[in-house]
Amino acid sequence: MAPLPDGFSYAEWNATYNGLSFGIAAMGSATIFFWLQLPNVTKNYRTALTITGIVTLIATYHYIRIFNSWSEAFTVSSKDGGDYTVQLTGAPFNDGYRYVDWLLTVPLLLIELILVMKLPQAETVSLSWKLGLASALMVALGYPGEIQEDLAVRWFWWCLSMIPFCYVVFTLAVGLAEATSKQPSPAAASLASAARYLTVLSWCTYPFVYMVKSVGLAGPAATMYEQVGYSLADVLAKAVFGVLIWALAMEKSAVEESGKLPA
């Protein structure tokens, strides 16, 4: 990663610090919740809920690593009761943890959605491979641009990563519409639709955050907006999305147990 810019204000440093801390708390508590809920859903949906917890567990680990790296990169002090000053320690801030996290969790996010929808086996396997590989390719193509300061290079890799991104978003928004309409109850169909569109909405925030450094923002402000933006998007795409997966699994389990759907 490129070295951190100098000149962070305490407010900029603190906003990033608290954004990363929020990520740890949200992902960690979500992991505990999802796994505690496993006995409350039928066996058909336990794999999806288990994967949901794995996603947030992986994210919790990487947010702890990012948080620690951020803390080690700065010294924050106050002299004689004055304002806090923020200085670089010279230690590197390793934001590459985000891309390692996304490379693991983004394909799993899509797979858990496909599993909880309980599509025919052949369709489940096909979609899991297609969406999983496309999303991994998207992340891999985005990383080379993330570590560049040259705006032309950033735009080049952004455009490349948008190709698999658009494929995945189109599949979620359009390709799964028919499967959503075939869910066993109106509530299940509504939840499946909400999960699909939440994924699309949360995913669409990432390209815009990625472009922060390409639209005139630079220095500490750009770094703060990038870190806080990614943190909020991650919580929405993983923890909040996971709650919808849990709710859908609960609804479909209730329908199965009522005898209206074969288990």
Side-chain angles (χ1 to χ4, degrees):
M1 300 297 291
L4 284 168
D6 203 357
F8 276 86
S9 68
Y10 177 68
E12 291 167 334
W13 174 86
N14 197 43
T16 304
Y17 183 94
N18 288 329
L20 296 173
S21 179
F22 174 70
I24 295 171
M27 302 297 186
S29 57
T31 301
I32 296 170
F33 173 77
F34 297 143
W35 286 350
L36 286 177
Q37 290 298 311
L38 281 172
N40 297 329
V41 300
T42 61
K43 62 181 181 180
N44 289 318
Y45 308 108
R46 286 175 188 164
T47 299
L49 201 56
T50 299
I51 293 175
T52 305
I54 290 173
V55 165
T56 51
L57 177 65
I58 293 171
T60 302
Y61 167 76
H62 284 109
Y63 264 87
I64 291 172
R65 298 301 299 268
I66 298 169
F67 178 85
N68 289 341
S69 184
W70 180 260
S71 299
E72 292 165 2
F74 296 92
T75 297
V76 181
S77 60
S78 173
K79 293 184 179 179
D80 302 322
D83 293 338
Y84 285 103
T85 59
V86 180
Q87 294 180 322
L88 296 174
T89 63
F93 171 56
N94 186 1
D95 194 31
Y97 290 124
R98 283 199 186 278
Y99 278 82
V100 175
D101 176 84
W102 291 338
L103 195 61
L104 295 170
T105 59
V106 171
L108 290 175
L109 281 169
L110 297 172
I111 290 171
E112 71 187 61
L113 175 61
I114 294 167
L115 288 175
V116 81
M117 292 183 75
K118 200 181 177 185
L119 304 172
Q121 184 176 359
E123 189 176 358
T124 296
V125 173
S126 176
L127 277 173
S128 295
W129 276 106
K130 290 178 182 178
L131 294 182
L133 290 174
S135 60
L137 180 62
M138 174 191 69
V139 174
L141 289 173
Y143 182 69
E146 187 72 76
I147 62 176
Q148 296 291 330
E149 293 297 319
D150 188 317
L151 296 185
V153 176
R154 287 181 66 86
W155 278 110
F156 172 77
W157 288 106
W158 182 88
C159 290
L160 284 184
S161 67
M162 287 300 292
I163 297 172
F165 172 88
C166 290
Y167 167 74
V168 173
V169 168
F170 177 81
T171 302
L172 289 172
V174 179
L176 290 177
E178 183 179 354
T180 300
S181 66
K182 293 180 180 178
Q183 293 300 300
S185 71
S190 177
L191 287 166
S193 181
R196 286 167 48 226
Y197 286 113
L198 176 64
T199 303
V200 171
L201 174 64
S202 62
W203 275 37
C204 284
T205 63
Y206 289 97
F208 289 105
V209 176
Y210 187 98
M211 289 190 296
V212 160
K213 294 180 180 178
S214 304
V215 292
L217 283 175
T223 301
M224 177 197 69
Y225 285 123
E226 185 179 60
Q227 294 301 318
V228 173
Y230 279 148
S231 298
L232 294 176
D234 275 349
V235 170
L236 190 64
K238 296 172 185 176
V240 177
F241 174 76
V243 171
L244 286 177
I245 295 296
W246 162 77
L248 180 55
M250 290 288 288
E251 169 64 20
K252 295 182 74 170
S253 295
V255 173
E256 286 184 1
E257 290 173 348
S258 71
K260 297 178 182 178
L261 182 71

Tab-separated table of all heavy atoms in Angstrom, residues 66-113:
chain	number	residue	atom	x	y	z
A	66	ILE	N	-7.011	-4.592	10.729
A	66	ILE	CA	-6.974	-3.233	10.171
A	66	ILE	C	-6.948	-2.206	11.296
A	66	ILE	O	-6.187	-1.226	11.252
A	66	ILE	CB	-8.192	-2.988	9.251
A	66	ILE	CG1	-8.173	-3.941	8.054
A	66	ILE	CG2	-8.205	-1.545	8.753
A	66	ILE	CD1	-9.464	-3.940	7.245
A	67	PHE	N	-7.779	-2.424	12.318
A	67	PHE	CA	-7.838	-1.510	13.454
A	67	PHE	C	-6.479	-1.413	14.149
A	67	PHE	O	-5.992	-0.313	14.459
A	67	PHE	CB	-8.900	-1.999	14.442
A	67	PHE	CG	-9.027	-1.167	15.689
A	67	PHE	CD1	-9.826	-0.037	15.711
A	67	PHE	CD2	-8.348	-1.523	16.852
A	67	PHE	CE1	-9.948	0.724	16.871
A	67	PHE	CE2	-8.471	-0.770	18.005
A	67	PHE	CZ	-9.266	0.365	18.016
A	68	ASN	N	-5.852	-2.556	14.397
A	68	ASN	CA	-4.543	-2.555	15.051
A	68	ASN	C	-3.492	-1.877	14.184
A	68	ASN	O	-2.632	-1.134	14.688
A	68	ASN	CB	-4.112	-3.989	15.368
A	68	ASN	CG	-4.922	-4.611	16.491
A	68	ASN	OD1	-5.551	-3.895	17.269
A	68	ASN	ND2	-4.932	-5.927	16.567
A	69	SER	N	-3.547	-2.131	12.875
A	69	SER	CA	-2.594	-1.509	11.963
A	69	SER	C	-2.773	0.009	11.944
A	69	SER	O	-1.790	0.765	11.916
A	69	SER	CB	-2.771	-2.084	10.555
A	69	SER	OG	-1.808	-1.569	9.664
A	70	TRP	N	-4.021	0.465	11.980
A	70	TRP	CA	-4.300	1.903	12.014
A	70	TRP	C	-3.758	2.528	13.307
A	70	TRP	O	-3.135	3.592	13.276
A	70	TRP	CB	-5.799	2.143	11.899
A	70	TRP	CG	-6.212	3.589	11.915
A	70	TRP	CD1	-6.705	4.301	12.970
A	70	TRP	CD2	-6.179	4.494	10.810
A	70	TRP	NE1	-6.980	5.583	12.601
A	70	TRP	CE2	-6.669	5.734	11.278
A	70	TRP	CE3	-5.783	4.375	9.473
A	70	TRP	CZ2	-6.766	6.861	10.442
A	70	TRP	CZ3	-5.878	5.491	8.642
A	70	TRP	CH2	-6.359	6.709	9.135
A	71	SER	N	-3.989	1.857	14.412
A	71	SER	CA	-3.538	2.380	15.699
A	71	SER	C	-2.015	2.468	15.760
A	71	SER	O	-1.448	3.433	16.323
A	71	SER	CB	-4.044	1.491	16.837
A	71	SER	OG	-5.455	1.469	16.861
A	72	GLU	N	-1.339	1.469	15.199
A	72	GLU	CA	0.123	1.436	15.241
A	72	GLU	C	0.765	2.459	14.310
A	72	GLU	O	1.933	2.804	14.481
A	72	GLU	CB	0.611	0.034	14.878
A	72	GLU	CG	0.265	-1.020	15.928
A	72	GLU	CD	0.428	-2.435	15.406
A	72	GLU	OE1	0.855	-2.580	14.226
A	72	GLU	OE2	0.134	-3.384	16.150
A	73	ALA	N	0.002	2.943	13.346
A	73	ALA	CA	0.560	3.877	12.364
A	73	ALA	C	0.603	5.314	12.870
A	73	ALA	O	1.217	6.174	12.227
A	73	ALA	CB	-0.249	3.819	11.070
A	74	PHE	N	-0.029	5.575	14.030
A	74	PHE	CA	-0.120	6.946	14.526
A	74	PHE	C	0.237	7.031	16.008
A	74	PHE	O	0.077	6.077	16.768
A	74	PHE	CB	-1.547	7.483	14.356
A	74	PHE	CG	-2.003	7.600	12.935
A	74	PHE	CD1	-2.688	6.555	12.327
A	74	PHE	CD2	-1.761	8.747	12.199
A	74	PHE	CE1	-3.116	6.652	11.022
A	74	PHE	CE2	-2.191	8.853	10.888
A	74	PHE	CZ	-2.864	7.808	10.292
A	75	THR	N	0.674	8.207	16.379
A	75	THR	CA	0.808	8.583	17.785
A	75	THR	C	-0.108	9.773	18.031
A	75	THR	O	-0.019	10.781	17.317
A	75	THR	CB	2.257	8.988	18.125
A	75	THR	OG1	3.123	7.872	17.924
A	75	THR	CG2	2.360	9.436	19.575
A	76	VAL	N	-0.991	9.650	19.009
A	76	VAL	CA	-1.933	10.722	19.340
A	76	VAL	C	-1.598	11.225	20.732
A	76	VAL	O	-1.538	10.444	21.693
A	76	VAL	CB	-3.392	10.216	19.289
A	76	VAL	CG1	-4.362	11.353	19.606
A	76	VAL	CG2	-3.700	9.621	17.921
A	77	SER	N	-1.371	12.519	20.853
A	77	SER	CA	-0.947	13.056	22.147
A	77	SER	C	-1.487	14.466	22.337
A	77	SER	O	-1.891	15.137	21.386
A	77	SER	CB	0.581	13.060	22.239
A	77	SER	OG	1.146	13.848	21.213
A	78	SER	N	-1.489	14.898	23.599
A	78	SER	CA	-1.905	16.254	23.953
A	78	SER	C	-0.919	16.808	24.971
A	78	SER	O	-0.585	16.143	25.957
A	78	SER	CB	-3.320	16.236	24.539
A	78	SER	OG	-3.677	17.504	25.037
A	79	LYS	N	-0.447	18.020	24.730
A	79	LYS	CA	0.503	18.652	25.641
A	79	LYS	C	-0.172	19.785	26.402
A	79	LYS	O	-0.824	20.636	25.807
A	79	LYS	CB	1.708	19.184	24.862
A	79	LYS	CG	2.577	18.097	24.247
A	79	LYS	CD	3.800	18.696	23.569
A	79	LYS	CE	4.688	17.604	22.980
A	79	LYS	NZ	5.876	18.166	22.298
A	80	ASP	N	-0.004	19.745	27.703
A	80	ASP	CA	-0.495	20.811	28.577
A	80	ASP	C	-1.991	21.072	28.409
A	80	ASP	O	-2.453	22.220	28.472
A	80	ASP	CB	0.279	22.113	28.316
A	80	ASP	CG	1.769	21.942	28.519
A	80	ASP	OD1	2.150	21.214	29.464
A	80	ASP	OD2	2.547	22.512	27.725
A	81	GLY	N	-2.741	19.996	28.180
A	81	GLY	CA	-4.187	20.147	28.081
A	81	GLY	C	-4.676	20.734	26.782
A	81	GLY	O	-5.852	21.096	26.672
A	82	GLY	N	-3.799	20.854	25.790
A	82	GLY	CA	-4.198	21.423	24.506
A	82	GLY	C	-4.875	20.401	23.620
A	82	GLY	O	-5.200	19.281	24.035
A	83	ASP	N	-5.095	20.790	22.383
A	83	ASP	CA	-5.741	19.894	21.429
A	83	ASP	C	-4.850	18.688	21.142
A	83	ASP	O	-3.615	18.765	21.231
A	83	ASP	CB	-6.023	20.621	20.112
A	83	ASP	CG	-7.077	21.704	20.273
A	83	ASP	OD1	-7.867	21.624	21.238
A	83	ASP	OD2	-7.095	22.635	19.439
A	84	TYR	N	-5.498	17.577	20.803
A	84	TYR	CA	-4.752	16.382	20.444
A	84	TYR	C	-4.071	16.588	19.091
A	84	TYR	O	-4.646	17.170	18.166
A	84	TYR	CB	-5.678	15.166	20.352
A	84	TYR	CG	-6.119	14.645	21.692
A	84	TYR	CD1	-7.405	14.913	22.171
A	84	TYR	CD2	-5.264	13.883	22.483
A	84	TYR	CE1	-7.823	14.441	23.400
A	84	TYR	CE2	-5.674	13.400	23.708
A	84	TYR	CZ	-6.952	13.682	24.171
A	84	TYR	OH	-7.354	13.212	25.388
A	85	THR	N	-2.848	16.112	19.004
A	85	THR	CA	-2.114	16.140	17.739
A	85	THR	C	-1.885	14.708	17.274
A	85	THR	O	-1.703	13.795	18.082
A	85	THR	CB	-0.766	16.851	17.892
A	85	THR	OG1	0.031	16.178	18.880
A	85	THR	CG2	-0.966	18.302	18.302
A	86	VAL	N	-1.919	14.531	15.975
A	86	VAL	CA	-1.781	13.207	15.376
A	86	VAL	C	-0.529	13.200	14.517
A	86	VAL	O	-0.373	14.043	13.622
A	86	VAL	CB	-3.012	12.866	14.509
A	86	VAL	CG1	-2.864	11.477	13.896
A	86	VAL	CG2	-4.288	12.943	15.339
A	87	GLN	N	0.354	12.249	14.786
A	87	GLN	CA	1.594	12.147	14.024
A	87	GLN	C	1.799	10.712	13.551
A	87	GLN	O	1.429	9.758	14.251
A	87	GLN	CB	2.786	12.577	14.884
A	87	GLN	CG	2.764	14.059	15.277
A	87	GLN	CD	3.972	14.436	16.132
A	87	GLN	OE1	4.403	13.645	16.977
A	87	GLN	NE2	4.514	15.615	15.893
A	88	LEU	N	2.383	10.583	12.375
A	88	LEU	CA	2.708	9.255	11.859
A	88	LEU	C	3.880	8.672	12.618
A	88	LEU	O	4.835	9.386	12.961
A	88	LEU	CB	3.053	9.343	10.367
A	88	LEU	CG	1.939	9.788	9.419
A	88	LEU	CD1	2.488	9.974	8.014
A	88	LEU	CD2	0.808	8.759	9.404
A	89	THR	N	3.805	7.378	12.901
A	89	THR	CA	4.914	6.700	13.586
A	89	THR	C	5.941	6.158	12.601
A	89	THR	O	7.057	5.828	13.007
A	89	THR	CB	4.381	5.523	14.428
A	89	THR	OG1	3.786	4.547	13.555
A	89	THR	CG2	3.349	5.999	15.445
A	90	GLY	N	5.546	6.043	11.347
A	90	GLY	CA	6.412	5.421	10.360
A	90	GLY	C	6.064	3.971	10.107
A	90	GLY	O	6.530	3.361	9.144
A	91	ALA	N	5.223	3.390	10.999
A	91	ALA	CA	4.762	2.017	10.788
A	91	ALA	C	3.769	2.001	9.631
A	91	ALA	O	2.968	2.928	9.485
A	91	ALA	CB	4.119	1.481	12.060
A	92	PRO	N	3.785	0.967	8.801
A	92	PRO	CA	2.878	0.934	7.648
A	92	PRO	C	1.437	0.651	8.070
A	92	PRO	O	1.194	-0.083	9.033
A	92	PRO	CB	3.430	-0.210	6.801
A	92	PRO	CG	4.102	-1.119	7.794
A	92	PRO	CD	4.673	-0.215	8.850
A	93	PHE	N	0.506	1.252	7.353
A	93	PHE	CA	-0.899	0.921	7.532
A	93	PHE	C	-1.275	-0.064	6.437
A	93	PHE	O	-1.273	0.275	5.255
A	93	PHE	CB	-1.774	2.167	7.450
A	93	PHE	CG	-3.254	1.867	7.419
A	93	PHE	CD1	-3.831	1.107	8.436
A	93	PHE	CD2	-4.052	2.327	6.387
A	93	PHE	CE1	-5.188	0.815	8.416
A	93	PHE	CE2	-5.412	2.049	6.354
A	93	PHE	CZ	-5.977	1.292	7.377
A	94	ASN	N	-1.581	-1.297	6.831
A	94	ASN	CA	-1.849	-2.360	5.871
A	94	ASN	C	-3.345	-2.470	5.616
A	94	ASN	O	-4.060	-3.198	6.304
A	94	ASN	CB	-1.293	-3.688	6.374
A	94	ASN	CG	-1.416	-4.801	5.345
A	94	ASN	OD1	-1.908	-4.574	4.239
A	94	ASN	ND2	-0.976	-5.990	5.701
A	95	ASP	N	-3.806	-1.760	4.585
A	95	ASP	CA	-5.215	-1.837	4.206
A	95	ASP	C	-5.474	-3.014	3.270
A	95	ASP	O	-6.613	-3.249	2.871
A	95	ASP	CB	-5.638	-0.530	3.544
A	95	ASP	CG	-7.145	-0.397	3.438
A	95	ASP	OD1	-7.845	-0.942	4.321
A	95	ASP	OD2	-7.626	0.233	2.487
A	96	GLY	N	-4.419	-3.751	2.932
A	96	GLY	CA	-4.594	-4.932	2.089
A	96	GLY	C	-5.443	-6.000	2.750
A	96	GLY	O	-5.984	-6.880	2.064
A	97	TYR	N	-5.577	-5.923	4.083
A	97	TYR	CA	-6.455	-6.865	4.781
A	97	TYR	C	-7.873	-6.818	4.222
A	97	TYR	O	-8.588	-7.831	4.220
A	97	TYR	CB	-6.500	-6.551	6.274
A	97	TYR	CG	-5.229	-6.853	7.030
A	97	TYR	CD1	-4.588	-5.855	7.769
A	97	TYR	CD2	-4.675	-8.134	7.033
A	97	TYR	CE1	-3.433	-6.123	8.479
A	97	TYR	CE2	-3.513	-8.407	7.743
A	97	TYR	CZ	-2.894	-7.402	8.465
A	97	TYR	OH	-1.754	-7.674	9.164
A	98	ARG	N	-8.323	-5.642	3.771
A	98	ARG	CA	-9.674	-5.524	3.223
A	98	ARG	C	-9.842	-6.426	2.012
A	98	ARG	O	-10.862	-7.097	1.859
A	98	ARG	CB	-9.960	-4.080	2.807
A	98	ARG	CG	-10.262	-3.150	3.947
A	98	ARG	CD	-10.960	-1.906	3.450
A	98	ARG	NE	-11.122	-0.955	4.545
A	98	ARG	CZ	-12.094	-1.020	5.440
A	98	ARG	NH1	-12.996	-1.988	5.364
A	98	ARG	NH2	-12.169	-0.125	6.408
A	99	TYR	N	-8.855	-6.411	1.146
A	99	TYR	CA	-8.988	-7.189	-0.086
A	99	TYR	C	-8.870	-8.686	0.174
A	99	TYR	O	-9.519	-9.489	-0.504
A	99	TYR	CB	-7.969	-6.697	-1.115
A	99	TYR	CG	-8.465	-5.465	-1.829
A	99	TYR	CD1	-8.339	-4.203	-1.245
A	99	TYR	CD2	-9.111	-5.559	-3.050
A	99	TYR	CE1	-8.832	-3.070	-1.873
A	99	TYR	CE2	-9.606	-4.428	-3.693
A	99	TYR	CZ	-9.470	-3.188	-3.096
A	99	TYR	OH	-9.980	-2.078	-3.722
A	100	VAL	N	-8.060	-9.059	1.141
A	100	VAL	CA	-8.019	-10.471	1.544
A	100	VAL	C	-9.391	-10.877	2.079
A	100	VAL	O	-9.918	-11.948	1.749
A	100	VAL	CB	-6.929	-10.706	2.605
A	100	VAL	CG1	-6.972	-12.148	3.101
A	100	VAL	CG2	-5.558	-10.383	2.040
A	101	ASP	N	-9.977	-10.011	2.885
A	101	ASP	CA	-11.312	-10.270	3.439
A	101	ASP	C	-12.335	-10.409	2.320
A	101	ASP	O	-13.117	-11.363	2.275
A	101	ASP	CB	-11.691	-9.123	4.379
A	101	ASP	CG	-13.110	-9.268	4.913
A	101	ASP	OD1	-13.287	-9.988	5.900
A	101	ASP	OD2	-14.042	-8.654	4.334
A	102	TRP	N	-12.354	-9.445	1.409
A	102	TRP	CA	-13.348	-9.474	0.326
A	102	TRP	C	-13.169	-10.690	-0.577
A	102	TRP	O	-14.150	-11.255	-1.057
A	102	TRP	CB	-13.249	-8.194	-0.505
A	102	TRP	CG	-13.692	-6.971	0.220
A	102	TRP	CD1	-14.520	-6.918	1.305
A	102	TRP	CD2	-13.329	-5.616	-0.063
A	102	TRP	NE1	-14.686	-5.610	1.717
A	102	TRP	CE2	-13.976	-4.793	0.891
A	102	TRP	CE3	-12.530	-5.026	-1.032
A	102	TRP	CZ2	-13.834	-3.408	0.891
A	102	TRP	CZ3	-12.381	-3.641	-1.036
A	102	TRP	CH2	-13.033	-2.850	-0.083
A	103	LEU	N	-11.927	-11.075	-0.820
A	103	LEU	CA	-11.684	-12.223	-1.684
A	103	LEU	C	-12.310	-13.488	-1.111
A	103	LEU	O	-12.749	-14.376	-1.848
A	103	LEU	CB	-10.170	-12.416	-1.867
A	103	LEU	CG	-9.721	-13.346	-3.003
A	103	LEU	CD1	-10.186	-12.818	-4.353
A	103	LEU	CD2	-8.212	-13.497	-2.978
A	104	LEU	N	-12.368	-13.572	0.227
A	104	LEU	CA	-12.968	-14.722	0.896
A	104	LEU	C	-14.476	-14.560	1.089
A	104	LEU	O	-15.260	-15.485	0.866
A	104	LEU	CB	-12.306	-14.941	2.253
A	104	LEU	CG	-10.820	-15.338	2.244
A	104	LEU	CD1	-10.257	-15.272	3.651
A	104	LEU	CD2	-10.640	-16.722	1.657
A	105	THR	N	-14.882	-13.385	1.524
A	105	THR	CA	-16.269	-13.217	1.971
A	105	THR	C	-17.259	-12.890	0.863
A	105	THR	O	-18.430	-13.274	0.942
A	105	THR	CB	-16.365	-12.122	3.055
A	105	THR	OG1	-15.883	-10.874	2.523
A	105	THR	CG2	-15.551	-12.499	4.281
A	106	VAL	N	-16.830	-12.172	-0.159
A	106	VAL	CA	-17.776	-11.771	-1.205
A	106	VAL	C	-18.366	-12.979	-1.935
A	106	VAL	O	-19.592	-13.064	-2.108
A	106	VAL	CB	-17.117	-10.769	-2.176
A	106	VAL	CG1	-18.017	-10.525	-3.386
A	106	VAL	CG2	-16.842	-9.450	-1.470
A	107	PRO	N	-17.561	-13.962	-2.372
A	107	PRO	CA	-18.177	-15.153	-2.972
A	107	PRO	C	-19.094	-15.893	-2.002
A	107	PRO	O	-20.160	-16.379	-2.389
A	107	PRO	CB	-16.966	-16.020	-3.364
A	107	PRO	CG	-15.838	-15.058	-3.524
A	107	PRO	CD	-16.086	-14.009	-2.481
A	108	LEU	N	-18.692	-15.956	-0.721
A	108	LEU	CA	-19.523	-16.640	0.267
A	108	LEU	C	-20.854	-15.934	0.478
A	108	LEU	O	-21.889	-16.589	0.709
A	108	LEU	CB	-18.774	-16.755	1.599
A	108	LEU	CG	-17.577	-17.713	1.622
A	108	LEU	CD1	-16.853	-17.623	2.963
A	108	LEU	CD2	-18.023	-19.147	1.365
A	109	LEU	N	-20.854	-14.606	0.416
A	109	LEU	CA	-22.106	-13.859	0.550
A	109	LEU	C	-23.114	-14.275	-0.514
A	109	LEU	O	-24.308	-14.468	-0.228
A	109	LEU	CB	-21.829	-12.358	0.420
A	109	LEU	CG	-21.254	-11.621	1.625
A	109	LEU	CD1	-20.807	-10.230	1.211
A	109	LEU	CD2	-22.282	-11.535	2.741
A	110	LEU	N	-22.636	-14.409	-1.729
A	110	LEU	CA	-23.532	-14.786	-2.825
A	110	LEU	C	-23.987	-16.229	-2.692
A	110	LEU	O	-25.148	-16.553	-2.972
A	110	LEU	CB	-22.815	-14.564	-4.158
A	110	LEU	CG	-22.436	-13.108	-4.441
A	110	LEU	CD1	-21.562	-13.015	-5.685
A	110	LEU	CD2	-23.680	-12.241	-4.598
A	111	ILE	N	-23.079	-17.089	-2.258
A	111	ILE	CA	-23.420	-18.501	-2.104
A	111	ILE	C	-24.479	-18.690	-1.015
A	111	ILE	O	-25.415	-19.481	-1.170
A	111	ILE	CB	-22.160	-19.329	-1.804
A	111	ILE	CG1	-21.257	-19.381	-3.052
A	111	ILE	CG2	-22.520	-20.748	-1.352
A	111	ILE	CD1	-19.901	-19.981	-2.807
A	112	GLU	N	-24.374	-17.931	0.077
A	112	GLU	CA	-25.366	-18.091	1.151
A	112	GLU	C	-26.749	-17.656	0.681
A	112	GLU	O	-27.762	-18.255	1.060
A	112	GLU	CB	-24.945	-17.315	2.402
A	112	GLU	CG	-25.041	-15.815	2.297
A	112	GLU	CD	-24.466	-15.089	3.497
A	112	GLU	OE1	-23.252	-15.244	3.776
A	112	GLU	OE2	-25.214	-14.356	4.156
A	113	LEU	N	-26.806	-16.625	-0.166
A	113	LEU	CA	-28.100	-16.198	-0.712
A	113	LEU	C	-28.689	-17.284	-1.607
A	113	LEU	O	-29.880	-17.599	-1.516
A	113	LEU	CB	-27.926	-14.897	-1.491
A	113	LEU	CG	-29.169	-14.386	-2.237
A	113	LEU	CD1	-30.303	-14.111	-1.257
A	113	LEU	CD2	-28.836	-13.139	-3.041
